[in-house]
């Protein structure tokens, strides 16, 4: 399978998943939810990971319980997430994080590019830990 065919297949699978998955409005009534995505700019296809985090009960995310607990402590404020004691290497490998949804009735629309994956983890904890 050539690269173009793999990319087209991945795109089709992603679109099918999006079309079949319940939309954000379906989850609004069930409480807190966030559509999360982590992208490595400059990569194609496999450079994006995504999940729909639900918190009542925690699901849809590899570390749903931890992410929901961290968001609860931070009261949904992304600037209060993470661990300031984590030291990261000064290697530039940018990672973009995006969150959209609702937290305790408040609309969330967060997007930020971090210098590398370690910095993302240090500043957002388990919220964007989307690898299983």
């Amino acid at each position: 399978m050539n690269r173009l065919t793999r990319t087209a297949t991945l795109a089709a699978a992603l679109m099918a998943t999006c079309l079949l998955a319940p939309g954000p409005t379906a989850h609004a009534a069930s409480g807190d939810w966030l559509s999360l995505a982590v992208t490595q700019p400059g990569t194609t296809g496999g450079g994006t990971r995504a999940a729909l985090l639900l918190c009542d009960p925690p699901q849809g995310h590899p570390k749903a319980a931890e992410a929901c607990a961290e968001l609860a402590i931070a009261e949904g404020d992304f600037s209060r997430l993470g661990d300031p004691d984590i030291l990261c290497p000064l290697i530039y490998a940018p990672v973009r994080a995006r969150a959209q949804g609702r937290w305790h009735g408040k609309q969330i629309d967060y997007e930020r590019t971090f210098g590398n994956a370690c910095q993302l983890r240090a500043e957002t904890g388990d919220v964007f830990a989307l690898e299983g």
Side-chain angles (χ1 to χ4, degrees):
M1 190 183 304
N2 67 31
R3 184 176 181 164
L4 182 58
T5 304
R6 279 195 312 266
T7 302
T9 302
L10 178 62
L14 180 58
M15 286 189 64
T17 301
C18 291
L19 292 173
L20 295 175
T25 55
H27 298 289
S30 66
D32 302 330
W33 63 271
L34 291 173
S35 175
L36 304 167
V38 176
T39 306
Q40 295 174 317
T43 61
T44 58
T48 299
R49 296 178 312 276
L52 180 64
L53 174 64
L54 303 173
C55 288
D56 189 23
Q59 59 185 319
H61 183 292
K63 294 187 171 193
E66 296 89 339
C68 291
E70 290 171 11
L71 282 163
I73 291 168
E75 298 177 343
D77 182 352
F78 281 73
S79 69
R80 294 177 50 201
L81 292 170
D83 182 350
D85 294 329
I86 295 176
L87 299 176
C88 294
L90 298 176
I91 297 170
Y92 187 67
V95 178
R96 183 178 303 124
R98 177 157 185 125
Q100 292 179 302
R102 296 197 71 70
W103 184 263
H104 291 260
K106 181 178 124 184
Q107 182 71 29
I108 301 292
D109 191 9
Y110 173 86
E111 185 171 0
R112 181 166 169 207
T113 300
F114 296 87
N116 58 47
C118 177
Q119 184 184 12
L120 169 67
R121 172 85 168 128
E123 295 189 35
T124 65
D126 287 318
V127 173
F128 290 100
L130 302 180
E131 293 188 9

